[in-house]
Amino acid sequence: FHILRIEIRGDTIERCLSHFTEREVLDKDNRYKTPSGVYVTASKDFKIHRPPRVLLLHLKRFTVQSGKIKKMVTYPETLNLGPYSSAPRDSDPLIYTLIGVVVHDGSGVHSGHYYSFVRNSNNLWYECEDSNVGPGSVKHVRRQRAYMLAYLRKPNTPKPSSVKPPP
């Protein structure tokens, strides 16, 4: 598995991932120092090179001042990780299915309560809170202000252009 800690920069998880992976120019007071000690303008970006089987997205909901970012960020049941990877655009799709959501209920980093929603192998959702486990629904799950999202990679399926009809 792999954990990506992403800032809440947008109202969808896709926008947050786009911000996480966008190219950043390092200039002025933030220039890159070469091994020879020379400061130069450069750029950097982050891409997922080896997509994991299980992807955990940690939304940075707490500020340095211990405040909580309560903004709603929507997230899909099915996530295409392709645009955020280093794989060529014509590669097999990197499709992930939502399997878990962790929620923090409280006002800040020093107080609150965590609970979760998990999907079982029969695609049924359950809400887990302390010692209580009860049925849930994807509709209810997707209305949560997620703190962490867990996605499971679907097995690769061939692109439509590479599928040949049977003889």
Side-chain angles (χ1 to χ4, degrees):
F1 72 93
H2 190 78
I3 300 173
L4 295 181
R5 291 168 181 82
I6 56 178
E7 294 177 13
I8 298 176
R9 295 283 183 102
D11 56 356
T12 68
I13 201 68
E14 293 90 347
R15 286 196 183 115
C16 294
L17 284 166
S18 290
H19 179 265
F20 180 80
T21 58
E22 76 183 7
R23 185 171 301 254
E24 177 185 356
V25 176
L26 305 173
D27 61 0
K28 299 179 183 167
D29 292 336
N30 193 25
R31 289 180 292 164
Y32 172 73
K33 184 177 181 181
T34 66
S36 62
V38 177
Y39 286 92
V40 297
T41 298
S43 65
K44 70 174 184 174
D45 63 356
F46 293 100
K47 299 287 183 198
I48 297 165
H49 185 61
R50 290 190 187 127
R53 183 167 184 267
V54 176
L55 175 67
L56 300 176
L57 299 177
H58 167 214
L59 283 75
K60 295 181 177 180
R61 288 211 173 266
F62 299 108
T63 64
V64 175
Q65 297 81 16
S66 299
K68 183 173 178 184
I69 300 169
K70 296 181 180 180
K71 181 177 187 171
M72 180 63 180
V73 176
T74 62
Y75 42 92
E77 236 184 304
T78 302
L79 176 66
N80 178 6
L81 205 59
Y84 319 106
S85 78
S86 60
R89 292 199 186 273
D90 62 347
S91 298
D92 287 336
L94 298 173
I95 306 299
Y96 285 76
T97 302
L98 183 66
I99 59 168
V101 176
V102 175
V103 179
H104 176 266
D105 184 20
S107 59
V109 70
H110 299 294
S111 66
H113 180 72
Y114 292 93
Y115 58 97
S116 65
F117 297 87
V118 293
R119 181 192 306 231
N120 73 5
S121 59
N122 293 329
N123 282 330
L124 299 175
W125 282 94
Y126 291 90
E127 183 173 354
C128 306
E129 187 168 352
D130 294 332
S131 61
N132 299 318
V133 176
S137 72
V138 71
K139 198 176 211 179
H140 183 62
V141 169
R142 296 204 42 227
R143 287 196 304 255
Q144 303 301 311
R145 285 183 171 80
Y147 175 65
M148 291 191 80
L149 300 167
Y151 283 93
L152 178 65
R153 185 174 177 184
K154 287 186 175 184
N156 280 349
T157 54
K159 297 180 294 281
S161 60
S162 65
V163 175
K164 296 183 177 159

